[in-house]
Amino acid sequence: MSLKNLTPFRILLVENNPSDILLFREAFSETSYRVQVDAGNGGEELMNILSSQTKSEAQPNLIILDLNMPKENGQEVLVKLKDNPETRNIPVIIFTTSEAMSDVKACYGTYANGYIVKPMDYKKYVQIVQVVGAYWIGTNVSENWNPNKDDVIS
């Protein structure tokens, strides 16, 4: 077994609502993927987490970003992430309650890798998390992640 198989997929969730952080972690615990979910309380905290990492520390494999946050909104944070050479290649999925087409267009216009509207139903929420896991963990190859069937817990 390679060292890769011992490493969980790292998700950095940027969400200011503690209940939503708990819900996200709970939903991912119902999948078969080995995932480490770290959470930042907003855009400023996210940027502090990313800038405090040393070169030897792995960047997250995926950032899940809410739009509706105090101080800096998710759109502003997305622009900072994609403008920074150190973070621009980290995939960013917007996960928000906003269905506004202006938000969708703005996020894709600033290089979001996906836009998902949070469902109100827990069962649908878990289904969405499973689809995110299946694609980003089980299928997609990126600079710092290469899916391997051993990364899935049977």
Side-chain angles (χ1 to χ4, degrees):
M1 180 180 283
S2 71
L3 182 61
K4 167 83 177 92
N5 297 334
L6 300 174
T7 305
F9 188 87
R10 292 189 57 228
I11 296 174
L12 186 49
L13 174 64
V14 185
E15 171 65 63
N16 64 306
N17 184 330
S19 297
D20 283 350
I21 294 169
L22 184 63
L23 180 63
F24 187 85
R25 285 183 170 145
E26 178 64 30
F28 244 111
S29 75
E30 295 190 27
T31 71
S32 61
Y33 297 103
R34 196 176 0 224
V35 177
Q36 175 184 328
V37 178
D38 297 319
N41 189 359
E44 188 175 316
E45 189 171 334
L46 166 70
M47 299 313 284
N48 288 339
I49 290 169
L50 292 173
S51 66
S52 69
Q53 292 179 329
T54 65
K55 293 291 180 193
S56 64
E57 291 177 305
Q59 294 277 18
N61 302 101
L62 179 65
I63 295 173
I64 304 289
L65 180 61
D66 187 18
L67 284 185
N68 305 314
M69 297 183 295
K71 296 183 185 177
E72 286 184 298
N73 67 39
Q75 178 64 39
E76 294 165 329
V77 174
L78 178 61
V79 169
K80 284 184 179 180
L81 286 168
K82 296 304 182 177
D83 281 348
N84 182 336
E86 298 292 320
T87 59
R88 77 170 43 123
N89 291 334
I90 301 171
V92 179
I93 304 258
I94 305 301
F95 196 48
T96 184
T97 56
S98 174
E99 296 182 50
M101 192 50 61
S102 59
D103 286 339
V104 174
K105 288 179 180 180
C107 289
Y108 280 119
T110 49
Y111 308 105
N113 299 90
Y115 191 104
I116 300 171
V117 177
K118 293 178 187 176
M120 296 297 130
D121 176 71
Y122 182 72
K123 189 174 182 179
K124 288 180 184 175
Y125 194 102
V126 171
Q127 288 172 339
I128 286 173
V129 166
Q130 288 172 338
V131 168
V132 168
Y135 179 73
W136 289 102
I137 301 169
T139 306
N140 188 63
V141 176
S142 66
E143 289 181 23
N144 59 358
W145 186 259
N146 190 356
N148 181 306
K149 66 181 178 185
D150 294 334
D151 289 318
V152 179
I153 302 168
S154 300

